[in-house]
Amino acid sequence: MIFFEQLGKFFLLLTKVFAKPEKYRIYYKQTLREIESLGINSFGIVVIVSVFVGAVITIQTNYNIENPLLPSYLVGVTVRDSLLLEFSSTMVALILAGKIGSSISSEIGTMRVSEQIDALEIMGVNSASFLILPKIIAAVFFFPILSLLSMFVGIFGGYLICVIADVVPPSDYIYGIQYAFYPHYISYAITKVVFYAFIIVTVSSFHGYYASGGALEVGRSSTKAVVHSSILVLLANLVLTKLILS
Amino acid sequence: MIEVKNVSKRFGDTIVLDNVSVNFEQGKTNLIIGQSGSGKTVLLKSIVGLHDIDEGEIWFSHRHFNALGFKERKEIRKEIGMLFQGAALFDSSTVEQNVMFPLDMFTDKSYEEKLERVNFCLKRVNIENSNGLFPAELSGGMKKRVGIARAIALNPMYLFCDEPNSGLDPKTGILIDNLIKEITEEYNITTIVNTHDMNSVVEIGDKVIFIYAGAKLWEGTKEEIMHTENKELNDFVFATSLAQKLKKQ
Ligand SMILES: Nc1ncnc2c1ncn2[C@@H]1O[C@H](COP(=O)(O)OP(=O)(O)OP(=O)(O)O)[C@@H](O)[C@H]1O
Ligand SMILES: [Mg+2]
């Protein structure tokens, strides 16, 4: 019962969010601000995680296929496909759900419990749209960029470990990452990421927007935001993978 | 003028407002007094539509506010300025950006014109040279004053203040009270102030209503309140030992 009530509330909030903006110029400014706080500020974590994961997949794949019959460029192929198909979309989204989801929901939740949202409403501002829409736009545009970044950096991480630790000959690795390359893997990843961005921002905003009480509840709502958006990202992954790849 | 007619509000099974009717007059400082938890904040928020009421009507200058749709309500809200109990300044914006926000949102003025208005409002509440500070860097009294400056930035027709001087020293409290009264008279605003401070009542109460457990028990002027026969109000007014001593004399 509670589930359906929450679901109803969620979609009601979305209809408020997608109302016509009062003033485009201000929304534009807000969106730029969100691109900075949600997108650009996540560069670091995406780069670090992707470099390491790219390197680790390279080592592990090489370890697993140590068979003279298998050519060593297969390592490059595997690294590329793992990153493109799953890691740089879904895993990066899960990392971002933790970073961005909690920050969105605690920001909006704090505004709720300190009556800042009421203050917006009183002025005649559509608070849901004003606070959430710029975040959605920023994330939907910027998550794909982060995902592409993760692909490049991850593949580079694999190359780096080849050079440093002599896992497979770097030239074989380079050959491998170009071998049997399907460009639609990238569009597949980007499509998924756009959905993930929408899920993470709206679910986290929802939990913040309906926070009540004090600091404790704001903390709880941001935990819920991370958990729920992560689960929904995984569910969406399943559904989208089935839809797109079959 | 704001008319409240037979308004009731429940949270679950608890009745928080019980059939409240009152007229708040233009150009006057109308006070809502009552002890903590009596329903003052809920009444104020119900009037401006932050709480949906269960029964009754609310009229803003002959416009039936709670019967209007979202869009029409928004038009009336642009005529409302409100100071919240905790000031509710935007944390991530400076003092200047806070006061400028309503101007950004609802006017097409140039930055210079807006800045001029912002500085005028800030000067009006005796805050100068603090434009670049963030709310976290302000004292409680300064926050309230910036809250008032933001509330009056768009020249409101209705001003709501929820406990403008709670948590302040008596002197600063009186300063803020007088500021509200001055603004009210200067711009002929309909002002409603929540308070449980008898100082405010004596200083600025043009019209006073007394809320007790969600019901309106009494209304009158600050002069009449001293001679009331109503027991609950008497207890409230003369709650402090100082007041009791003065009364005995
Ligand atoms: N959102 C809410 N949900 C449930 N009950 C509430 C809510 N807001 C207020 N109440 C209840 O309504 C009653 C009146 O609260 P209100 O905040 O109006 O008191 P108040 O007169 O403003 O007190 P104070 O002077 O301390 O600010 C209280 O008993 C409170 O518990
Ligand atoms: Mg209150």
Side-chain angles (χ1 to χ4, degrees), chain B residues 19-249:
Chain B
N19 199 18
V20 176
S21 297
V22 56
N23 288 350
F24 296 105
E25 290 159 38
Q26 188 169 1
K28 287 192 177 167
T29 322
N30 301 276
L31 296 193
I32 302 174
I33 60 171
Q35 64 194 48
S36 186
S38 54
K40 303 183 297 292
T41 299
V42 173
L43 177 57
L44 210 59
K45 288 192 174 177
S46 299
I47 294 174
V48 296
L50 288 174
H51 289 314
D52 288 324
I53 54 176
D54 295 310
E55 276 155 48
E57 296 172 7
I58 288 156
W59 293 73
F60 280 77
S61 313
H62 310 295
R63 290 169 294 181
H64 188 175
F65 184 66
N66 60 314
L68 296 175
F70 183 72
K71 273 216 178 97
E72 294 92 349
R73 275 194 195 202
K74 243 171 74 173
E75 290 312 309
I76 296 185
R77 283 189 168 165
K78 289 175 194 169
E79 302 167 4
I80 294 177
M82 182 155 178
L83 171 68
F84 286 83
Q85 202 159 347
L89 300 179
F90 303 127
D91 290 328
S92 53
S93 309
T94 60
V95 166
E96 181 182 304
Q97 288 163 344
N98 261 286
V99 181
M100 202 179 278
F101 184 84
L103 301 168
D104 284 337
M105 214 65 196
F106 299 114
T107 68
D108 289 312
K109 293 191 175 123
S110 71
Y111 176 76
E112 285 72 28
E113 287 171 303
K114 285 186 284 192
L115 187 61
E116 195 182 331
R117 176 70 192 161
V118 167
N119 286 333
F120 173 82
C121 292
L122 284 173
K123 196 167 171 192
R124 196 72 195 74
V125 297
N126 286 322
I127 292 198
E128 285 174 87
N129 307 321
S130 301
N131 288 30
L133 296 183
F134 284 91
E137 298 167 320
L138 303 177
S139 73
M142 285 170 85
K143 277 186 201 163
K144 297 236 158 127
R145 280 184 279 164
V146 174
I148 295 177
R150 184 176 70 182
I152 61 173
L154 280 177
N155 277 324
M157 291 171 62
Y158 314 97
L159 182 63
F160 297 84
C161 302
D162 198 353
E163 314 221 0
N165 54 13
S166 66
L168 303 180
D169 65 277
K171 214 173 149 197
T172 314
I174 289 173
L175 209 79
I176 290 188
D177 281 344
N178 284 329
L179 176 72
I180 291 170
K181 189 175 167 68
E182 273 170 43
I183 294 170
T184 302
E185 286 168 3
E186 198 175 322
Y187 302 107
N188 201 23
I189 302 174
T190 308
T191 299
I192 306 180
V193 178
N194 273 359
T195 183
H196 39 57
D197 182 4
M198 279 311 292
N199 256 333
S200 309
V201 175
V202 180
E203 286 283 330
I204 61 168
D206 294 331
K207 170 167 184 168
V208 183
I209 74 162
F210 175 59
I211 299 279
Y212 183 83
K216 187 187 87 176
L217 283 199
W218 185 88
E219 77 172 80
T221 63
K222 63 184 174 194
E223 288 80 20
E224 288 163 359
I225 206 167
M226 293 301 161
H227 314 290
T228 168
E229 299 296 314
N230 186 303
K231 182 178 173 311
E232 282 81 9
L233 180 55
N234 238 311
D235 287 351
F236 179 83
V237 172
F238 300 104
T240 63
S241 47
L242 175 67
Q244 274 163 9
K245 271 182 208 152
L246 288 176
K247 196 184 182 191
K248 281 198 190 109
Q249 283 173 7

Side-chain angles (χ1 to χ4, degrees), chain A:
Chain A
M1 250 349 266
I2 288 180
F3 171 76
F4 287 108
E5 206 183 304
Q6 293 283 89
L7 198 69
K9 246 168 119 179
F10 178 75
F11 283 108
L12 226 67
L13 180 65
L14 284 191
T15 57
K16 253 186 101 182
V17 167
F18 288 103
K20 192 172 164 291
E22 279 106 14
K23 229 174 178 188
Y24 286 96
R25 206 161 42 86
I26 303 222
Y27 273 66
Y28 175 71
K29 265 197 201 154
Q30 285 291 106
T31 307
L32 291 185
R33 247 169 77 168
E34 298 298 348
I35 285 181
E36 188 187 344
S37 84
L38 301 182
I40 297 178
N41 288 346
S42 305
F43 262 51
I45 189 161
V46 169
V47 167
I48 292 171
V49 174
S50 305
V51 168
F52 279 93
V53 168
V56 169
I57 301 179
T58 307
I59 298 172
Q60 285 185 344
T61 315
N62 185 49
Y63 179 76
N64 282 316
I65 60 171
E66 248 180 288
N67 179 334
L69 291 179
L70 293 174
S72 65
Y73 67 76
L74 270 188
V75 173
V77 178
T78 312
V79 170
R80 182 197 69 207
D81 286 356
S82 317
L83 287 169
L84 260 53
L85 285 175
E86 233 13 76
F87 179 80
S88 295
S89 49
T90 309
M91 295 303 140
V92 165
L94 289 176
I95 292 164
L96 291 176
K99 180 177 183 287
I100 288 175
S102 61
S103 95
I104 288 180
S105 112
S106 56
E107 179 194 331
I108 297 183
T110 306
M111 293 189 74
R112 165 62 76 195
V113 301
S114 62
E115 297 181 315
Q116 294 174 49
I117 290 187
D118 286 343
L120 285 170
E121 287 288 325
I122 275 304
M123 291 174 194
V125 176
N126 178 344
S127 61
S129 168
F130 179 75
L131 294 174
I132 304 174
L133 191 57
K135 293 192 202 303
I136 295 179
I137 296 173
V140 163
F141 273 102
F142 222 81
F143 272 34
I145 297 178
L146 289 172
S147 175
L148 286 174
L149 178 75
S150 158
M151 293 172 192
F152 281 114
V153 175
I155 290 173
F156 177 72
Y159 176 73
L160 217 57
I161 202 73
C162 290
V163 173
I164 297 171
D166 193 23
V167 184
V168 282
S171 56
D172 283 5
Y173 181 83
I174 298 283
Y175 178 75
I177 60 175
Q178 294 165 341
Y179 181 80
F181 171 64
Y182 301 108
H184 78 259
Y185 280 9
I186 292 186
S187 53
Y188 158 74
I190 300 296
T191 312
K192 288 206 294 189
V193 164
V194 168
F195 279 92
Y196 298 157
F198 186 79
I199 289 171
I200 292 170
V201 174
T202 51
V203 170
S204 310
S205 302
F206 170 74
H207 282 296
Y209 197 80
Y210 289 112
S212 60
L216 197 66
E217 280 80 2
V218 172
R220 271 196 205 121
S221 76
S222 75
T223 309
K224 270 194 215 155
V226 175
V227 173
H228 290 184
S229 44
S230 303
I231 293 174
L232 285 173
V233 162
L234 293 172
L235 267 177
N237 184 27
L238 189 70
V239 174
L240 290 171
T241 306
K242 185 85 188 76
L243 284 180
I244 302 176
L245 291 191
S246 65

